[in-house]
Amino acid sequence: MDFWDPAGGSNAPVDWSDSSLIFAAHPSQPLVTARHSSTSKSFLLPHPQPIVNTPHLFLPATIVSAAPHTRWLFTYFPGKENDGLACIWKRGPSLDTWVVMQFFPWTSGNGVVTVSWLSERNHREWVPDSTGNFTRRAHLGPFPVISNPTLILVTQRHEIRVLYLRDYLPQFLAFKSRLNHHVVMYEMAQSEDPLLHETGFNRICTHAAIGPTYDNTLLIATRSRRYPSSQHAVATPLPVADATAAMDLDATEVEWNDQWDHWGEEETIELAEVALKFNGTMMLLQVKPLEPIQLAQSTLSRLCFIDGPYETHTKYLLSICTDFCSAATPSSHLRLYTFKRKPLDGQANLIECTHTLAGQRTFENQIIATVHATPLHDTIFLSRVDGARHKRFKGKEIKVGEMIPLTLPLLEDDSKFDSSDIRISDSSFAISALPVHFASSPNRLRFATLSGSLQDPSMTVQTFPQTQPWESLADGSVHPHALTIIAAILSERTVDDVVSLLCDNDVTESSVAVVLESAFQHCRGHLSSFGHRLIWEVLGVALCVYRTREGLLDGERRSLVQWQDLQDISSLITCETALKECKEPIGQKAGEGQTVWPLVEISIWVVSYLEHLIKQCLYDDFLDTIPQSGQSSELPSMYVHMAHPLVIQTMAALVRHIIDLGKYLESLPSLDESSKIARFTLKDIVDQSGLDFVLMEKLLQELLEDSHKLKEFDSRRALLFGDASPDVIAFIRTSVKKLHDSNVVDKARLMLKALDLVDGLTSEGPMKIKDKGRDIVTKSCLKADGPWRLCLRCGGRSDLPSIFATMQQPGQPKPLTKWQRFERRLFFRCICGGNWCST
């Protein structure tokens, strides 16, 4: 049983994408499945037409690779004694909406060994330093000037291929070049067939790795095997059969070339540096072979590039060789090489890339399966799998391996990390159930394993070794998981792996509070230049944590209330953004009422929400439920969340925007029928609410000034966790008393609606519809028959993506209105930051 990727490259038939989708190849059929790591959502990707027509001609996929932001997916299916097939899918507005963008026949004997997506033009990841400050790192790899996306492939015939989608073109283009020669290859040009490298031999690339550098180039490492060419195996024909003659056992002797020692795996790792450039007209590839690495050990099992600390821009190459001859149990030999640039022969204007051996280590009687980088960039994880020395645990689990943390570049044990086991279910224990393929989560906190069983393949998600205990942090320090959350938000990656870690059964509520509070405090302090966007994103992460804990942990009633409250706050933020960005200057008419009605619908929801919030404050016994300072509180948590200045500021801005919207509609000299109805609807809703919005804005401004007097610690915990300190309780009592003493509310209009006087009808309003029948984004009523999109984070539903998809049909290039531009921002993500999926 092999415990490494049979394909040999740095890619495998399983990939964990940036949006928490785990793509995996079916073990026995040419199919690709996808599973969301945090939910039970799973689906099958649509098949390309050749597989639909003749599935028996193709083997299961050997490479599955998702592009950054999970907009694209590449898969390679080898053929059964025929040409293979490469396929590229494109994602729609939801995670489970994929279409086959293009597929390519792939020549037999020239299969794909490894692939790498180039970074998008405007995408540069954010990385924290040792002090917690964030830096946007330089672009990694070649800069794609006229293409997006761009995919680099290495094939068995030592070719580098570029698959790219040029701007404004509907289909992918491709061109290729040889890797073992100095070559400059332009688009549309074809290189010669490099299959026969030397007379009598076929050189087949079995392992390859692609490493983007900060010098806008690619480092490519390959390992090859030599096979005898069938052209040089000459068989002597059999003589005519003669029953009376004696049988000659040597009559079919084959005359092979006498070069047995040259067959098999080569003893070098070939290196090349590749530049992808644009000369103003077309793209070109520049290939420069580098000095190879001598590697005497045979049976190379893994080859991969690793990024070192960002400050040093170091690039490492790690090779893992497995020795099957020295002992009964194979041993693994690790060698780590570092790359650097220096002047060539003392000439400062000529720079060459050189490599040196930086570290090596041998694991006796152990097989190292895969290598995983970490966010710290000075540590790597090695997965060791051994089915013969397993250990049983409680809960029907069996330990079949472990994750080993090693430091770079010395490859020594890293004492900063705790141990981490690789486990499988007791009921499925068998050699075929051992994990064969591994995939790391986007933030390198969890990993997925895929077994080698052909009948019943199993996938498990487990946790990497952790560095930080869950206790409280020292003053001024930032929790590592908090830095991971912020880096993921800034780099537009999912935080689902962090959330799942915070929702484990052994993680207490106080431990969760440490991480969330550390992230929120760091955003308010060191990252205040990013504005409030980061803070609202952290609130979305907190919402996801509370909702997940409420679903996984019994008795977490408080988590249920908290995530619902934070969902309402996210709605308030989105409504304020929409009203601010989509409003028109007074007296200027919006085109055909395209912006008016959506803003009116949002205003109706906001007014209904304010009515619901203020009604509770006006009950006679409400002040009695607010305890005196120092007493325990049973106050509704929503009022505690409102004690933060940012929430009060958002509510004050909403009131002002509704006032301005009413003035705008009144100022229009002439209105069409739709705009007139919109104006009367908004006026009726505001008048019948029983709230004086002008006085309410003044009251909220007063409360905003009072909230700034609260301690930052108290207001922060009030917003994140609904914890009411004595000062927060006193602030709420003062605020409610000011509301009672003011003329903001007409109690008769607020408490008694016209529909309440009709038997069998109630005026529950939009707040009672509560998301099931109301769009989480636009606050309008959902279509009765769908289709809808479901947010995997907050559970909100929307038909916004379907609406936006039909806005711009081919042949109708109309400019987007302000409201449509606002809608487009929420095309792929919900108001809470979660991803959409189909209902």
Side-chain angles (χ1 to χ4, degrees):
M1 178 66 185
D2 291 341
F3 298 108
W4 55 87
D5 178 12
S10 59
N11 298 94
V14 59
D15 191 19
W16 196 325
S17 69
D18 286 350
S19 59
S20 284
L21 282 180
I22 303 177
F23 297 97
H26 193 280
S28 59
Q29 302 179 41
L31 306 174
V32 179
T33 62
R35 165 192 166 188
H36 192 260
S37 63
S38 301
T39 64
S40 58
K41 182 71 176 179
S42 61
F43 56 94
L44 191 68
L45 266 69
H47 318 318
Q49 198 61 38
I51 292 181
V52 173
N53 297 335
T54 55
H56 60 281
L57 296 181
F58 300 97
L59 294 169
T62 57
I63 290 180
V64 177
S65 179
H69 307 312
T70 325
R71 299 287 194 269
W72 306 87
L73 180 73
F74 173 85
T75 301
Y76 171 66
F77 301 95
K80 295 179 181 178
E81 301 181 356
N82 55 276
D83 289 348
L85 186 74
C87 184
I88 295 180
W89 286 267
K90 183 179 181 181
R91 201 192 99 183
S94 59
L95 289 183
D96 56 348
T97 305
W98 292 82
V99 295
V100 176
M101 179 69 179
Q102 201 168 343
F103 55 85
F104 315 86
W106 212 269
T107 305
S108 177
N110 192 25
V112 181
V113 182
T114 189
V115 302
S116 177
W117 296 88
L118 295 187
S119 299
E120 297 179 2
R121 287 194 288 261
N122 298 325
H123 179 68
R124 291 162 52 196
E125 290 194 355
W126 292 82
V127 292
D129 56 21
S130 57
T131 62
N133 293 321
F134 280 81
T135 304
R136 196 178 188 187
R137 73 179 189 183
H139 195 276
L140 197 59
F143 188 81
V145 179
I146 60 170
S147 62
N148 186 31
T150 307
L151 181 64
I152 305 297
L153 306 93
V154 177
T155 69
Q156 291 177 322
R157 295 184 182 179
H158 303 87
E159 293 176 348
I160 176 173
R161 295 197 178 191
V162 183
L163 289 180
Y164 59 99
L165 187 64
R166 263 219 188 201
D167 295 339
Y168 309 111
L169 290 183
Q171 290 187 328
F172 278 81
L173 303 177
F175 68 107
K176 63 183 180 179
S177 176
R178 300 180 61 175
L179 274 175
N180 46 14
H181 290 80
H182 284 272
V183 178
V184 177
M185 188 64 60
Y186 291 85
E187 283 184 88
M188 312 307 294
Q190 297 297 327
S191 63
E192 59 182 293
D193 189 354
L195 176 61
L196 296 179
H197 182 67
E198 296 181 14
T199 303
F201 298 101
N202 287 345
R203 294 183 70 248
I204 302 299
C205 176
T206 57
H207 297 77
I210 302 175
T213 71
Y214 290 104
D215 298 302
N216 295 333
T217 62
L218 298 171
L219 290 176
I220 298 181
T222 58
R223 175 84 161 201
S224 304
R225 274 183 174 270
R226 294 186 178 187
Y227 298 91
S229 173
S230 59
Q231 301 174 9
H232 298 271
V234 181
T236 302
L238 290 173
V240 178
D242 185 356
T244 63
M247 181 176 292
D248 185 3
L249 298 179
D250 297 329
T252 59
E253 178 181 1
V254 179
E255 300 176 2
W256 294 97
N257 288 332
D258 188 19
Q259 301 184 24
W260 288 93
D261 294 339
H262 297 281
W263 298 348
E265 192 167 357
E266 295 181 348
E267 295 184 353
T268 60
I269 297 176
E270 294 184 320
L271 299 172
E273 187 174 18
V274 177
L276 180 63
K277 299 182 178 180
F278 179 66
N279 64 2
T281 304
M282 62 180 64
M283 299 171 66
L284 59 94
L285 273 174
Q286 291 181 342
V287 180
K288 176 184 178 183
L290 304 177
E291 181 184 358
I293 296 174
Q294 299 298 322
L295 193 64
Q297 295 99 332
S298 60
T299 320
L300 180 72
S301 59
R302 181 63 56 177
L303 193 64
C304 65
F305 282 100
I306 302 170
D307 289 324
Y310 173 71
E311 295 80 6
T312 62
H313 287 192
T314 308
K315 180 71 69 174
Y316 297 106
L317 176 65
L318 180 68
S319 66
I320 304 177
C321 293
T322 307
D323 186 1
F324 291 93
C325 302
S326 60
T329 304
S331 300
S332 298
H333 306 279
L334 278 66
R335 295 170 69 90
L336 186 73
Y337 302 88
T338 182
F339 291 82
K340 63 180 180 180
R341 294 184 177 274
K342 67 177 183 180
L344 178 62
D345 299 330
Q347 303 180 48
N349 59 333
L350 297 177
I351 305 297
E352 68 172 351
C353 185
T354 62
H355 57 81
T356 55
L357 180 64
Q360 55 184 330
R361 183 170 177 178
T362 299
F363 289 87
E364 299 291 345
N365 302 326
Q366 298 182 58
I367 296 179
I368 302 300
T370 53
V371 183
H372 308 271
T374 67
L376 302 178
H377 296 293
D378 59 357
T379 304
I380 58 174
F381 296 138
L382 305 180
S383 57
R384 180 189 66 79
V385 179
D386 187 355
R389 295 181 294 184
H390 59 269
K391 178 181 178 181
R392 296 182 182 273
F393 290 88
K394 294 181 179 179
K396 298 182 179 181
E397 288 185 332
I398 297 179
K399 174 184 175 180
V400 295
E402 62 181 342
M403 282 289 175
I404 306 172
L406 300 182
T407 61
L408 294 177
L410 300 179
L411 300 180
E412 298 175 343
D413 292 337
D414 196 334
S415 59
K416 299 192 303 291
F417 289 85
D418 299 329
S419 60
S420 176
D421 298 331
I422 301 175
R423 305 183 184 186
I424 63 174
S425 172
D426 189 359
S427 60
S428 63
F429 178 68
I431 292 298
S432 61
L434 293 177
V436 176
H437 304 293
F438 293 76
S440 303
S441 67
N443 298 302
R444 304 297 189 269
L445 293 179
R446 297 175 81 87
F447 62 93
T449 64
L450 186 65
S451 69
S453 174
L454 297 180
Q455 290 78 22
D456 186 21
S458 60
M459 179 183 293
T460 62
V461 176
Q462 304 178 54
T463 304
F464 276 123
Q466 300 298 310
T467 59
Q468 182 68 33
W470 291 106
E471 288 80 11
S472 299
L473 298 173
D475 293 339
S477 59
V478 186
H479 199 286
H481 293 334
L483 293 177
T484 303
I485 290 173
I486 298 173
I489 293 173
L490 291 175
S491 302
E492 299 181 4
R493 293 192 306 268
T494 181
V495 295
D496 287 349
D497 51 348
V498 187
V499 171
S500 61
L501 190 65
L502 297 178
C503 295
D504 283 344
N505 291 331
D506 56 348
V507 179
T508 63
E509 189 175 345
S510 59
S511 300
V512 175
V514 170
V515 177
L516 295 179
E517 189 174 1
S518 180
F520 189 90
Q521 183 179 5
H522 197 62
C523 291
R524 287 281 286 175
H526 294 77
L527 301 175
S528 58
S529 59
F530 289 93
H532 295 162
R533 183 181 70 88
L534 267 183
I535 297 174
W536 302 139
E537 292 278 2
V538 173
L539 284 183
V541 176
L543 184 157
C544 187
V545 170
Y546 295 142
R547 186 168 186 260
T548 305
R549 290 179 68 88
E550 182 265 331
L552 295 178
L553 307 179
D554 294 334
E556 288 257 354
R557 174 63 184 174
R558 183 180 180 186
S559 294
L560 171 63
V561 176
Q562 285 175 323
W563 79 257
Q564 291 176 340
D565 291 342
L566 292 181
Q567 186 187 46
D568 289 337
I569 293 177
S570 298
S571 292
L572 292 175
I573 297 166
T574 306
C575 292
E576 194 274 333
T577 302
L579 290 170
K580 178 177 65 176
E581 295 183 356
C582 300
K583 66 181 180 181
E584 302 285 352
I586 293 179
Q588 179 176 331
K589 183 179 179 180
E592 300 179 2
Q594 294 180 26
T595 305
V596 172
W597 264 114
L599 298 185
V600 170
E601 289 177 327
I602 283 180
S603 301
I604 292 173
W605 183 89
V606 173
V607 172
S608 178
Y609 180 84
L610 293 175
E611 288 181 345
H612 176 76
L613 193 68
I614 294 175
K615 273 184 182 180
Q616 304 295 325
C617 302
L618 298 181
Y619 291 136
D620 294 337
D621 58 345
F622 184 78
L623 275 174
D624 297 335
T625 63
I626 305 178
Q628 300 295 330
S629 298
Q631 298 179 0
S632 60
S633 173
E634 296 182 357
L635 189 66
S637 61
M638 190 59 198
Y639 295 95
V640 182
H641 291 298
M642 292 292 180
H644 197 279
L646 292 180
V647 181
I648 300 176
Q649 181 180 350
T650 301
M651 295 179 64
L654 280 169
V655 172
R656 168 46 53 187
H657 290 318
I658 293 176
I659 295 174
D660 292 342
L661 179 61
K663 291 181 178 179
Y664 164 74
L665 292 175
E666 293 290 343
S667 67
L668 296 179
S670 60
L671 293 175
D672 54 21
E673 193 66 26
S674 176
S675 298
K676 287 181 180 179
I677 297 175
R679 182 180 67 183
F680 294 143
T681 300
L682 178 64
K683 188 175 185 304
D684 289 343
I685 290 294
V686 172
D687 292 343
Q688 295 301 320
S689 67
L691 304 177
D692 189 324
F693 277 68
V694 176
L695 295 179
M696 180 181 291
E697 183 188 12
K698 294 180 180 178
L699 176 62
L700 288 173
Q701 292 295 341
E702 292 180 13
L703 298 182
L704 180 60
E705 295 179 4
D706 294 341
S707 66
H708 284 300
K709 299 176 183 178
L710 293 173
K711 297 179 181 178
E712 174 66 23
F713 175 81
D714 292 341
S715 61
R716 181 173 64 245
R717 292 191 64 86
L719 177 60
L720 282 175
F721 317 120
D723 291 344
S725 67
D727 290 343
V728 171
I729 294 175
F731 169 75
I732 295 175
R733 288 185 62 88
T734 303
S735 301
V736 173
K737 194 172 185 306
K738 286 185 177 181
L739 178 63
H740 273 273
D741 296 341
S742 68
N743 296 322
V744 171
V745 182
D746 184 342
K747 294 183 180 180
R749 286 181 177 272
L750 177 64
M751 296 295 185
L752 189 61
K753 303 298 183 182
L755 290 179
D756 294 335
L757 303 178
V758 181
D759 188 24
L761 296 179
T762 60
S763 59
E764 292 178 333
M767 285 301 298
K768 293 298 182 180
I769 297 177
K770 195 63 178 178
D771 297 342
K772 285 189 176 181
R774 191 162 292 278
D775 193 303
I776 190 66
V777 176
T778 64
K779 304 307 175 186
S780 60
C781 293
L782 288 170
K783 296 178 180 178
D785 54 350
W788 307 308
R789 298 290 182 264
L790 176 69
C791 175
L792 294 175
R793 175 177 290 183
C794 71
R797 298 196 297 176
S798 175
D799 52 19
L800 174 62
S802 299
I803 294 174
F804 184 77
T806 61
M807 281 183 181
Q808 295 227 34
Q809 300 292 342
Q812 298 177 359
K814 296 181 180 180
L816 297 178
T817 64
K818 292 182 179 180
W819 175 255
Q820 290 170 346
R821 288 195 293 269
F822 168 77
E823 286 180 324
R824 186 172 58 180
R825 291 169 47 186
L826 298 168
F827 187 62
F828 289 101
R829 300 178 66 203
C830 178
I831 62 173
C832 65
N835 288 303
W836 300 110
C837 77
S838 301
T839 54

